[in-house]
Amino acid sequence: MVSVADTSTQAMSESFWNDRYNSNESSYGDDPNQFFKVQLLTLTPGELLLPGEGEGRNALFAAEMGWKVSAIDYSKVAQEKALSLARIKNLTIRYEQGDIGSRILPSDQYDAIALIYVHLPDKERKHLHRQCVNALKPGGTIILEAFSKDQQMYSSGGPKEPGLLYSLDDLLKDFEALNVEAAKEIIVHLEEGQFHRGRASVVRLVARKRDNM
């Protein structure tokens, strides 16, 4: 869950996120992100990738819904917590620990990829988004929710550095090869643990890979 850093260095720091997840039983709550949940329930279960997954709230929900889930995060602590919860719930998820800003993803692998509050500097964001487009199967879906540039006016969470916040223009350019089915910036009220709480400005995007790509 790459989202509450004060600097771009912290946003990609394993130690920062290990400290965050070590210090809190559930940093972003136990329930899945609501936008992710609603969108996922419209899709037929298949293979799902969750970069920046954190403690596993979205991965575990998806696994319960019958998805074959793969997750990646900078934090070893987050990985261990998610896998421990999966064992308790008798669920199976594949979870790797490592850098998501420079990772090369397999081509045409996933039926859906969800980017939920994955905030990266410009270069790494563009790289990850290109990789996600490549990694989708034809007909596959991107689900994204992140803090917008206007989140600087709110104290409900997210990066403090403007360069780590997203605009719809950024996202539409990043995913221009896909068919964009929904894209908007809205004000929501977050209740996601102690670090995403209160009135917030977010961008949301749903896009599908063309069948002939």
Side-chain angles (χ1 to χ4, degrees):
M1 178 72 67
V2 183
S3 67
V4 193
D6 292 324
T7 71
S8 60
T9 300
Q10 284 180 322
M12 294 182 290
S13 164
E14 180 184 350
S15 61
F16 174 84
W17 291 106
N18 282 341
D19 289 345
R20 165 65 51 84
Y21 293 127
N22 259 327
S23 301
N24 300 277
E25 183 176 348
S26 181
S27 300
Y28 298 97
D30 299 318
D31 296 327
N33 171 267
Q34 285 301 299
F35 181 67
F36 166 76
K37 176 180 178 179
V38 168
Q39 294 302 318
L40 197 72
L41 290 175
T42 70
L43 304 176
T44 301
E47 291 200 45
L48 169 69
L49 177 66
L50 292 162
E53 168 55 6
E55 295 161 300
R57 63 190 178 114
N58 297 313
L60 296 177
F61 171 77
E64 289 176 337
M65 295 298 104
W67 287 82
K68 182 180 178 182
V69 180
S70 297
I72 313 166
D73 199 275
Y74 289 105
S75 171
K76 183 70 174 177
V77 174
Q79 178 198 40
E80 291 172 349
K81 290 173 80 170
L83 291 175
S84 176
L85 286 170
R87 286 191 293 270
I88 291 170
K89 292 175 175 286
N90 197 30
L91 296 169
T92 299
I93 62 173
R94 182 173 180 268
Y95 200 128
E96 295 183 41
Q97 182 267 327
D99 181 7
I100 65 173
S102 61
R103 181 171 291 256
I104 303 299
L105 299 175
S107 299
D108 300 333
Q109 179 72 39
Y110 302 102
D111 298 284
I113 300 175
L115 298 157
I116 305 302
Y117 295 103
V118 180
H119 288 270
L120 297 171
D122 187 71
K123 180 180 178 181
E124 287 79 7
R125 185 201 82 232
K126 290 177 180 178
H127 172 82
L128 176 60
H129 290 176
R130 283 195 302 269
Q131 287 296 308
C132 288
V133 170
N134 181 61
L136 279 180
K137 294 177 183 178
T141 302
I142 291 282
I143 302 167
L144 184 150
E145 180 171 284
F147 289 112
S148 80
K149 296 290 187 183
D150 286 344
Q151 179 62 10
Q152 296 174 84
M153 298 187 295
Y154 301 97
S155 59
S156 51
K160 304 305 180 187
E161 184 176 326
L164 293 175
L165 297 169
Y166 294 169
S167 70
L168 277 183
D169 285 344
D170 291 336
L171 300 180
L172 292 172
K173 289 176 184 175
D174 289 353
F175 296 110
E176 63 183 358
L178 306 181
N179 288 331
V180 175
E181 298 184 346
K184 61 182 176 180
E185 179 176 342
I186 63 169
I187 302 300
V188 298
H189 186 85
L190 295 176
E191 292 288 346
E192 299 185 329
Q194 64 174 303
F195 293 107
H196 282 181
R197 184 172 294 275
R199 189 174 172 85
S201 179
V202 304
V203 284
R204 290 174 169 173
L205 179 137
V206 178
R208 197 175 306 276
K209 191 170 185 176
R210 299 181 184 95
D211 289 334
N212 60 354
M213 286 183 68

